Amino acid sequence: MPQTSVTLNSLINQNMIAYFDSITSLGYFTQTNKFTGISISIVISIGTVMLPRMSNLVARKEYSKFTDYVTKSINISSGISIAIMFGLMAIAPKFTTFFLGAQYKFVIHLLVLSSPIVVLVTWSNVLGQQYLIPLNRMKIFTISLICGNLVNVSLNLILLPKMGVEISIINQLINEIIIVGIQFISVRKEIKINIILGDLIKYFFAGIIMFIAVLYLNLQLPMTIFTLLIEIGIGVLIYSMLVISLKTGLYKELKKIIKIR
């Protein structure tokens, strides 16, 4: 459902950009969404795997265990999505034109601007698909999607003709912030987000360090498939080392999985 919402939101924005801006801007927007869409799909796949287990816990009325699983899922998904967000930002300068051509240089700016949507959609995926839907709280889930999309369309109608495709990217982010905000407010007494705040700070710290290192490599090295793999590999190595040394929830949960196997 969250992925469907993102797709619907993207289609609405594409049509509005084509009408209010230009076909060139539409091309920039579409290519930007392709990159972020692939990243979002990677993280959302975690939610798809977890959903049957969540529904099973609700069916057995094991609500304490269910809430614990959701909290852990937010932690793990945040650790992965924050790494992807900073990774996209870091490789954007040369990666974009390498795959799309010099004529798509403006996509670099749009990709950096839109990268936070990976984290926002991840949060809405966990809160919506893994928590609200198994509990059959479709009303608040639907309200959050409607409110987010209505604000997005309204802002596009007002600002898109004057400010161009960048504002459509910003409106997408606002749309997701509203969705996450409404869903979070509805579950704030049940899911103790403050438990993972410390880990979120650690993930952002690790992400920033990784971003600086990978961006430096991206700007210094000529872009080839080989150097791209080097940048990704070094980024994963730096982020992983920091996540382990900081003893984050992501590290602890992965350690448990490895021990079980």
Side-chain angles (χ1 to χ4, degrees):
M1 286 291 287
Q3 182 68 47
T4 304
S5 171
V6 173
T7 304
L8 176 62
N9 181 264
S10 178
L11 288 173
I12 292 171
N13 283 358
Q14 285 178 30
N15 282 287
M16 296 186 78
I17 291 168
Y19 183 80
F20 289 113
D21 200 338
S22 66
I23 297 300
T24 301
S25 293
L26 175 60
Y28 294 151
F29 181 84
T30 302
Q31 296 301 330
T32 301
N33 270 11
K34 283 182 181 178
F35 290 129
T36 55
I38 292 170
S39 303
I40 289 169
S41 297
I42 293 170
V43 186
I44 282 186
S45 63
I46 297 171
T48 304
V49 171
M50 294 288 287
L51 186 56
R53 180 178 292 182
M54 300 299 191
S55 300
N56 189 39
L57 289 172
V58 172
R60 298 203 308 261
K61 296 184 179 180
E62 297 182 31
Y63 296 116
S64 178
K65 195 172 183 180
F66 170 70
T67 303
D68 183 54
Y69 264 88
V70 173
T71 304
K72 288 179 180 178
S73 183
I74 294 174
N75 198 323
I76 293 170
S77 299
S78 295
I80 296 170
S81 61
I82 289 170
I84 292 174
M85 175 187 72
F86 281 112
L88 274 178
M89 290 180 176
I91 65 173
K94 289 185 179 178
F95 164 83
T96 307
T97 51
F98 176 74
F99 279 97
L100 300 178
Q103 69 271 28
Y104 283 95
K105 189 175 181 179
F106 189 66
V107 173
I108 298 171
H109 167 64
L110 297 182
L111 185 56
V112 172
L113 189 63
S114 67
S115 291
I117 201 171
V118 178
V119 178
L120 293 169
V121 172
T122 297
W123 288 342
S124 69
N125 175 65
V126 177
L127 294 174
Q129 185 166 316
Q130 295 182 34
Y131 191 81
L132 295 176
I133 291 178
L135 290 175
N136 199 30
R137 287 161 64 173
M138 295 301 297
K139 183 178 179 181
I140 190 64
F141 179 74
T142 305
I143 288 172
S144 69
L145 298 185
I146 291 173
C147 289
N149 280 284
L150 281 177
V151 171
N152 174 62
V153 171
S154 300
L155 290 175
N156 272 337
L157 285 171
I158 297 168
L159 301 174
L160 184 55
K162 300 176 182 178
M163 303 181 69
V165 66
E166 293 104 321
I167 200 63
S168 195
I169 295 289
I170 293 171
N171 290 341
Q172 270 195 322
L173 295 175
I174 294 172
N175 169 62
E176 292 302 328
I177 289 170
I178 290 171
I179 291 173
V180 172
I182 293 173
Q183 292 178 356
F184 170 69
I185 289 170
S186 72
V187 304
R188 69 189 185 282
K189 294 181 180 179
E190 301 148 49
I191 299 178
K192 305 300 181 182
I193 302 296
N194 60 301
I195 294 174
I196 64 169
L197 279 179
D199 278 338
L200 287 177
I201 293 171
K202 293 175 183 178
Y203 295 141
F204 274 99
F205 172 76
I208 290 170
I209 299 299
M210 178 193 70
F211 167 78
I212 293 170
V214 176
L215 178 62
Y216 175 80
L217 290 173
N218 186 266
L219 295 176
Q220 296 299 317
L221 299 175
M223 177 54 67
T224 64
I225 295 294
F226 180 68
T227 55
L228 176 62
L229 291 174
I230 288 175
E231 290 170 20
I232 293 172
I234 290 176
V236 170
L237 180 62
I238 292 172
Y239 190 80
S240 299
M241 289 176 64
L242 288 169
V243 162
I244 291 170
S245 62
L246 293 170
K247 293 182 170 57
T248 63
L250 175 60
Y251 162 65
K252 292 173 184 176
E253 291 305 317
L254 290 177
K255 190 177 179 181
K256 288 179 184 177
I257 293 171
I258 294 170
K259 279 186 177 180
I260 291 172
R261 291 186 178 181

